[in-house]
Amino acid sequence: MRRVVLAGVVVLTGCAARPSSDEATAADATTDSETTGEASATEAVEPTTTSAPGGPHIPEGLFMCLDTELCARWDCAGGCETPGPEAMCVLSALYERTFGAVEVVRCDGDCALHRMIPRALGTDGVRWQWRSQTNPPGYAEIVDCVLRPPEFFESCLLAFTPECADPAAWVEDCSPSLEVCFD
């Protein structure tokens, strides 16, 4: 019994101390933006929260756009060592540049729900935002990005790696968005 409790404490301590890929990417982006003077999509932004007075949380940003989900939510909360049907659906949708929303839950420390909406069928533009899995949730800044080339997603469909499950690895050339939902 003592070993089980000790193992649980070690596992929980290790999980709590490990920075998320978003935090690590944000730290790198902040350093880059300080030296170049340019903002980055993954720059550390304190999430904001919104709640109705005395009521439930009201979705914000991309989470109030498009009710049409392309795939079931991909849950990587427990890790994503192997792709399941949700992963294959999300990666295929991004490979094909299909219009609609995709969501993935990641827990690299704190849990967050990432939402991406490709701009239009066949285009490389995508809008991305994440929200923390807290009550009420905190929202990151909305950013417009370019999807990595289709070959990246094709390679993930053929030979899945940890990078394939990281929304930050799916995009490049991100900048803050002045808009929320696509028209």
Side-chain angles (χ1 to χ4, degrees), residues 18-179:
R18 196 176 78 197
S20 71
S21 64
D22 294 330
E23 292 167 347
T25 306
D28 294 342
T30 302
T31 302
D32 291 344
S33 67
E34 288 171 356
T35 57
T36 64
E38 296 177 9
S40 173
T42 53
E43 194 169 311
V45 176
E46 287 298 316
T48 58
T49 59
T50 301
S51 298
H57 167 74
I58 300 169
E60 293 181 31
L62 295 185
F63 295 91
M64 66 179 189
C65 303
L66 283 179
D67 291 337
T68 306
E69 302 291 328
L70 291 172
C71 308
R73 182 176 292 161
W74 182 7
D75 188 354
C76 285
C80 287
E81 290 78 30
T82 59
E86 296 86 3
M88 298 303 279
C89 180
V90 167
L91 294 170
S92 293
L94 296 174
Y95 167 76
E96 295 169 359
R97 307 312 208 236
T98 306
F99 180 68
V102 295
E103 295 183 339
V104 60
V105 176
R106 294 212 17 125
C107 295
D108 300 317
D110 294 333
C111 292
L113 173 61
H114 296 261
R115 189 165 216 224
M116 286 191 177
I117 304 174
R119 181 173 293 280
L121 181 63
T123 65
D124 293 336
V126 65
R127 197 159 280 159
W128 173 32
Q129 184 181 31
W130 61 266
R131 72 177 184 205
S132 64
Q133 299 287 68
T134 57
N135 190 10
Y139 289 82
E141 181 177 36
I142 300 169
V143 292
D144 284 325
C145 305
V146 175
L147 286 171
R148 299 259 314 259
E151 294 78 20
F152 170 80
F153 299 101
E154 181 180 37
S155 68
C156 287
L157 291 165
L158 297 172
F160 190 80
T161 65
E163 183 181 39
C164 297
D166 185 359
W170 302 344
V171 294
E172 51 196 13
D173 300 328
C174 295
S175 61
S177 178
L178 299 175
E179 301 177 23

